[in-house]
Structure formats: C-alpha cells, structure tokens
Amino acid sequence: MLVDVDRLVTAYYEEQPDPGEATQQVAFGTSGHRGSALKGSFNEAHILATTEAICRYREAQGIDGPLYLGRDTHALSEPAQRTALEVLAAHGVQVRVDSGDRPTPTPALSLAILTWNRDRRDHLADGIVVTPSHNPPEDGGFKYNPPNGGPADTDITGWVQDEANRLLRAGLDGVRRVPAEQAATAPGVERYDYVAAYVEDLATVVDLEAVRGAGLHLGVDPLGGAAVDYWSAIAERYRLDLEVVNQAVDPTFRFMTVDWDGKIRMDPSSRYAMAWLIDLRDRFDVAFANDADADRHGIVTGGAGLLNPNHYLAAMVAYLFGGGRDWGERVGVGKTMVSSSMIDRVTADLGRRLDEVPVGFKWFVDGLLDGSLGFGGEESAGASFLRRDGTVWTTDKDGIVCCLLAAEMTARRGADPGAQYRELTARFGDPAYRRVDAPATPEQKAVLKRLSASDVQASELAGEPITGVLTSAPSNGAALGGVKVVTERAWFAARPSGTEDVYKVYAESFGGDEHLERVLEEATAVVSAALEAAG
C-alpha cells in the first residue's frame, strides 16, 4: 500500500510521457495539473514544459515582479519545485523561495502575492504552488496563481496547457533551463520567510485574543502537510493552548488511516482519513486538521465529531454575518452550486446577497479581492473570508484561518461550531446531503457537460414538482458543466469528473434520509434519460 518513494522519484526523472496519449498530456483542472510519475502523467517533462509556458505567459502579459514559489510535502513536490526553479532562473525571473526550505501552504503563497501587489500597478507578483492537495502520496500537482493571488481562470490555464503540450510534442525544443546548482544561487532567487509573514498577519483576520482569553484547549493534526511548522509558530506567537497532535512529515504518509476505498488521502473532510483525530475529540474544546497544502479544513467537536463541510460552511456564514464581523451591508456570501442549500436559507435570513457559482474557487477571487464577497466556500471543505476590517485576506482557499475561526466561534459564543449548526437546523430544517459517483464513458461525460435544460424531460423529483433546471450559475451565468435539478425541498446536481470515467451526483433533501435516497435514485434515472435523449 505504501508508495515506493525512490521508485516514484526515479520515474519522475526517467520516464518520458507520450504527448500523443491524452492521459499523459498536461491537463489543468480546477486545481492545476495533477498526475503520477508512475503513470506518465507527472514527470520532469511536464514540469519543464509547464514552467516554460508560464514564463512565456508572464512575458506576454508584462508580469515582471517576483514569482512566489512553494511546495507541499508530497514526494514529487520537491523535485518538481527544483525543476521549475531551473526554468524560472534561466528566464531571469525573480523567484521567492522559503527561507528555511520548508513546505509552503497555498494560502501563505496567496497572501505573499497580495501583500507584494498591494497598492501596485506595475511589477506585479504571481506564484506557483507545487501540490496535488489531498491526493494520494504517489501524485504530484502544479498550480499557477496570477497576480490576483487566486487560482488561475480557464483563459489562463487553457493557454498554459496548450503551450505546454505544444512544447511536449516538440520534444521540449525551446525550453530554457540552467543546472539545479546554478538555479539555486541565481541572482534573482531570494529567500522569503513565508511562515513569519503569514503568522504575523493572522490577527487581522481572526480574533486570536478572544481565543487566548477563553483558555480553550485546541488540537490540530496537519496530516503531515505543509502547515506543520505554521501551527507551532501560531501557538507560540499568540500564546494559545494548542497541541499539535501529529508533527510527522513522511512522503509515504504511513501515519494516515486509509480512506473509504483503501487509499491514503490527506482529506480532512473524510471521517476515514480523520479517524485518529476523531478518537481524540474529547481531549479538546475543538480540534481541526488540514490537507497537504492547507487549503482545506476539517473541524472536530466533542458533540458532533467531524463536522460535515457543508454544516460548517453554514455555521461560518451565520457567525461572520450575524455579528462576528462588522462588514458593510453590500458585502455578500459566495457558494458553489453543489454546496448546501442551508447556506441559501441562512444568507436569506441575514438579508445578504448570495452569489451562487459553478464548481471552482476561482469564481470567488474577484469578489474577495475587491471586498464585495465577505466569504466564499465550497462543499469540499475549502473556503476563505475577508479580514476583520473588510479588506482582502487571501483569494485562494485557506484551511488554517477556517480552523482558527472555529476556535474564535467557540470562544465568543460559548458553544462549538457543531452546537451552533444545530441551532441553525432548529430554525431552518435539517438537510441530508450526499455525493455519489456513477460510471460514465468519455462520450457520456462529454454529453453531460453540454446538457441543456430541455434535455431533462422529468417534471417531478422524489414526489415533488421540479421548480428549476439549471445548467449555468444563477449569479454570473457561467456554465456548470452539468445539470442541477431543483424542487422546493430538494435538489441534485450531476457533472462529469475531470479525471475519472465517472460522473458525480450531489444531492440534498430537507425531507430526511429516506427522501434523499429517493432523490439520488431518481437523479440517476433523470440523468440517464437526458443522456439518451441527447444521443
């Protein structure tokens, strides 16, 4: 079960991808390019080509400020960072790498970009994060963040992806690089203390004085990821009673409990991956965890155990906009189309604007950047929010501040987030939510991605009239890449996976678990009929 790290890294350098094979090309999904060296989908050639493409994109756009470069703790992240630096140095890019050669969480890199760019109009910074997020140990990932600090949008990733694949087909002809030793000491490569910069700024976004004053006993498991050094620094800087229950960093992640399918994933929203911390829940007032690049959160309380991510997102919105922050009346709430409708009900009760967008955190970037969105969250346990004064914090997901907000909520309300969510269910109902995967051929996935409302022939779902069929987001009209069917008490959404031969069905019902099962059963039938009707 444990990955052979030596074999994996050897494959990274020695295996050559086939640019004519779709599975071995550079492919940017919602969180960058991901793959495994053992499958020919994440090898040195991919990183050389992608970094060269990013350099060419920067030159075309006139981006000539520093590029912040970070990595997580996956085995392929360090060699891929080294490869990227060889290309960046060859182009004379000013690169900022961690001063202690430590892993860098995604939110710390986003903050560094925004800090440099504050009040600037030229010589703007951008960044690269080498991470496959919560993926298994054998995977690698490579993500570009432009000067807005958030995940690159499809216009950028499409250009970079196409240019990188062109370079792969050309045998990397035109890719510039210098030897690793020369790159590490190149004039433009400087050290940057990501830890100090991030930790010092935390008090502007979370009320850590309230947390310390309440005397809460906090527990955190970084799951062997990039946040390990950050949590120790946070505890020391703000004098918190915070225990890091697991400080191990091992590229095999052998200390993890396996996920539902027997694979190792550093997924803080999975009760399987979080089993050890859940068992420790009675030791702490509240406990939490992050994935490998710390852009996701998991919250554990004594009464609720591991909170469903949707439940915590709703509790966060209720707290932040219900008195936790004094933000202007025009500041809205952002959620993805597959996140819980509990967020809709809470937001409506608060009298706030709801921006409902397709899947992907990139849709929240502009709103967080200009302060028109106070909060943006995804059902997959990723979120970020504004500073306490209503200005931008990060424009990428920040699992660390989401964890610390759980402590602030407990300190200031005298009840943990699980108890606060139960208060919401007493007012708005108690929804049941699930996501399941169903097999789909590449052809079926392509059809599902371009479905229109007229392709859904059903008029009822689980005994209720269908009130809406959506293929684009209500707030901005962007394509969902699938379909969402809505009734008064329930909904489901179906969209194809970007990496596997399945489609994902998300469903929720305010009618209980049995009604949810009916929704899921009929959702499969509705999608099958729509696929058949669409040919």
Side-chain angles (χ1 to χ4, degrees):
M1 175 187 298
L2 296 180
V3 65
D4 184 332
V5 172
D6 290 340
R7 176 169 170 257
L8 181 67
V9 174
T10 298
Y12 170 80
Y13 286 109
E14 294 185 354
E15 296 296 324
Q16 298 300 314
D18 179 358
E21 171 60 48
T23 60
Q24 297 183 29
Q25 296 172 358
V26 174
F28 273 78
T30 56
S31 296
H33 171 69
R34 295 184 184 178
S36 175
L38 301 174
K39 298 178 180 178
S41 52
F42 194 91
N43 304 88
E44 186 179 45
H46 295 105
I47 305 308
L48 289 168
T50 304
T51 310
E52 177 70 29
I54 290 171
C55 288
R56 295 181 182 188
Y57 173 80
R58 298 180 92 244
E59 292 164 7
Q61 298 298 315
I63 302 171
D64 60 358
L67 183 143
Y68 290 87
L69 178 63
R71 60 174 169 83
D72 75 359
T73 55
H74 278 76
L76 291 175
S77 294
E78 189 168 356
Q81 183 187 41
R82 190 179 304 115
T83 300
L85 189 60
E86 293 174 13
V87 178
L88 295 167
H91 281 266
V93 175
Q94 302 173 53
V95 184
R96 301 292 182 266
V97 296
D98 185 78
S99 57
D101 196 28
R102 299 159 295 196
T104 302
T106 288
L109 187 132
S110 177
L111 178 65
I113 295 170
L114 295 175
T115 300
W116 173 272
N117 290 340
R118 188 180 301 140
D119 300 325
R120 292 180 185 269
R121 294 190 176 183
D122 52 15
H123 307 302
L124 298 178
D126 54 0
I128 292 173
V129 191
V130 187
T131 174
S133 189
H134 66 292
N135 277 29
E138 63 268 23
D139 285 2
F142 203 77
K143 187 172 75 168
Y144 175 62
N145 286 41
N148 62 24
D153 65 28
T154 51
D155 290 340
I156 299 174
T157 57
W159 192 95
V160 170
Q161 172 182 296
D162 291 346
E163 181 69 4
N165 284 322
R166 188 190 68 76
L167 289 165
L168 283 179
R169 292 192 297 271
L172 300 178
D173 183 36
V175 173
R176 296 162 60 183
R177 69 188 297 193
V178 297
E181 297 78 10
Q182 181 180 338
T185 57
V189 178
E190 297 183 9
R191 301 289 171 173
Y192 179 82
D193 194 340
Y194 287 96
V195 177
Y198 181 89
V199 172
E200 277 300 314
D201 229 5
L202 273 176
T204 68
V205 67
V206 181
D207 188 351
L208 295 173
E209 289 186 10
V211 175
R212 182 177 65 251
L216 299 180
H217 184 42
L218 307 174
V220 60
D221 187 350
L223 301 183
V228 170
D229 290 332
Y230 287 69
W231 282 114
S232 299
I234 291 166
E236 180 179 356
R237 168 64 180 80
Y238 295 102
R239 292 177 289 136
L240 302 180
D241 181 9
L242 186 151
E243 178 184 346
V244 182
V245 300
N246 172 26
Q247 299 197 35
V249 176
D250 180 339
T252 67
F253 294 90
R254 66 180 67 241
F255 47 79
M256 289 293 302
T257 50
V258 297
D259 209 350
W260 61 274
D261 58 356
K263 294 184 177 181
I264 294 175
R265 289 188 188 88
M266 287 59 70
D267 182 357
S269 68
S270 167
R271 62 186 176 90
Y272 301 95
M274 291 279 283
W276 189 58
L277 187 60
I278 294 171
D279 286 344
L280 299 178
R281 62 186 180 181
D282 291 334
R283 284 176 48 185
F284 305 104
D285 293 299
V286 63
F288 23 77
N290 299 120
D291 62 342
D293 70 322
D295 71 344
R296 298 189 184 201
H297 60 268
I299 309 299
V300 176
T301 70
L306 177 65
L307 283 182
N308 180 297
N310 276 298
H311 297 179
Y312 183 49
L313 295 183
M316 290 170 75
V317 170
Y319 173 77
L320 288 169
F321 292 87
R325 296 294 182 273
D326 185 19
W327 294 332
E329 294 180 358
R330 296 185 179 181
V331 178
V333 175
K335 59 160 275 192
T336 57
M337 293 177 69
V338 298
S339 298
S340 174
S341 290
M342 177 65 91
I343 300 170
D344 304 46
R345 298 187 180 195
V346 170
T347 303
D349 182 69
L350 291 164
R352 294 284 178 165
R353 183 188 82 254
L354 179 69
D355 286 1
E356 189 173 5
V357 300
V359 174
F361 203 80
K362 62 187 177 185
W363 301 108
F364 302 127
V365 171
D366 289 343
L368 290 169
L369 192 60
D370 65 18
S372 61
L373 277 182
F375 169 92
E378 299 183 303
E379 52 77 34
S380 55
S384 191
F385 47 94
L386 298 178
R387 295 175 192 257
R388 295 160 67 185
D389 66 1
T391 59
V392 63
W393 168 245
T394 60
T395 48
D396 212 328
K397 294 172 287 192
D398 189 337
I400 296 174
V401 297
C402 289
C403 291
L404 289 171
L405 188 69
E408 179 191 321
M409 292 166 66
T410 305
R412 292 183 60 183
R413 291 286 171 86
D416 65 48
Q420 293 184 44
Y421 179 75
R422 289 195 298 274
E423 293 175 6
L424 297 179
T425 63
R427 296 180 59 197
F428 303 113
D430 191 2
Y433 180 102
R434 274 182 60 197
R435 195 198 93 185
V436 298
D437 295 345
T441 65
E443 294 78 15
Q444 289 173 323
K445 288 169 59 180
V447 171
L448 179 58
K449 191 172 183 178
R450 60 174 184 266
L451 282 180
S452 67
S454 61
D455 292 319
V456 177
Q457 301 296 317
S459 59
E460 289 190 351
L461 176 67
E464 295 185 345
I466 291 174
T467 58
V469 179
L470 307 175
T471 56
S472 59
S475 69
N476 61 7
L480 171 63
V483 63
K484 181 175 181 179
V485 177
V486 183
T487 71
E488 183 178 349
R489 294 191 304 160
W491 60 270
F492 81 84
R495 54 186 297 272
S497 168
T499 56
E500 301 175 272
D501 287 334
V502 300
Y503 69 86
K504 300 175 182 181
V505 178
Y506 309 79
E508 184 174 50
S509 171
F510 279 80
D513 290 330
E514 290 187 10
H515 190 250
L516 176 65
E517 292 303 320
R518 287 186 61 190
V519 171
L520 284 166
E521 182 180 342
E522 294 185 24
T524 304
V526 169
V527 172
S528 297
L531 290 172
E532 183 176 349

